[in-house]
Amino acid sequence: QVQLVESGGGLVQAGGSLRLSCAASGRTFSSYCMGWFRQAPGKEREFVAAISWSGGRTYIVDSVKGRFTISRDNAKNTVYLQMNSVKPEDTAIYHCAAGGWGFSTRAYEYWGQGTQVTVSS
């Protein structure tokens, strides 16, 4: 079992920045690929970013590429999502997930409860 807890969400103005954190406990964190997903009201959960177990490979979805960065610190059992130049359309609940490499929810076995990000215009 892996337990995931997100933090760092909040209210931010358009153009601002936030850094989301996801702290993991339980089985070996460094053996899992990690992903960030988001879900806006009335919409399906969508993939945002993924990072390999070593951190050497990352993937960012086109809609946030150049603005968001994913990273991880295996010594701290934590994965991060740095969000810069945020837009109102980035408003959503952001979830981290642990599992295999992939860009769909099916690739991930463990999920956090999520942290709310609200971007005001």
Side-chain angles (χ1 to χ4, degrees):
Q1 284 280 3
V2 175
Q3 292 79 43
L4 303 173
V5 179
E6 301 94 336
S7 62
L11 175 64
V12 60
Q13 287 189 332
S17 297
L18 278 177
R19 188 175 81 157
L20 306 183
S21 299
C22 173
S25 60
R27 295 181 65 184
T28 307
F29 172 75
S30 60
S31 65
Y32 290 95
C33 296
M34 299 296 295
W36 283 98
F37 289 75
R38 66 185 181 185
Q39 189 165 18
K43 295 188 177 181
E44 292 188 354
R45 191 168 296 189
E46 67 171 352
F47 169 81
V48 176
I51 188 165
S52 62
W53 64 272
S54 68
R57 180 173 159 193
T58 62
Y59 186 85
I60 306 290
V61 70
D62 284 347
S63 60
V64 304
K65 193 172 292 183
R67 300 189 296 120
F68 291 12
T69 304
I70 187 170
S71 62
R72 68 190 295 164
D73 185 339
N74 286 344
K76 296 182 178 180
N77 284 5
T78 302
V79 63
Y80 305 97
L81 185 69
Q82 179 67 43
M83 307 169 61
N84 297 329
S85 303
V86 296
K87 304 176 181 180
E89 51 263 43
D90 294 323
T91 295
I93 297 174
Y94 283 72
H95 299 266
C96 68
W101 179 260
F103 312 140
S104 77
T105 58
R106 293 187 300 274
Y108 296 88
E109 185 175 1
Y110 302 103
W111 292 83
Q113 292 298 308
T115 185
Q116 176 71 50
V117 172
T118 303
V119 182
S120 63
S121 58

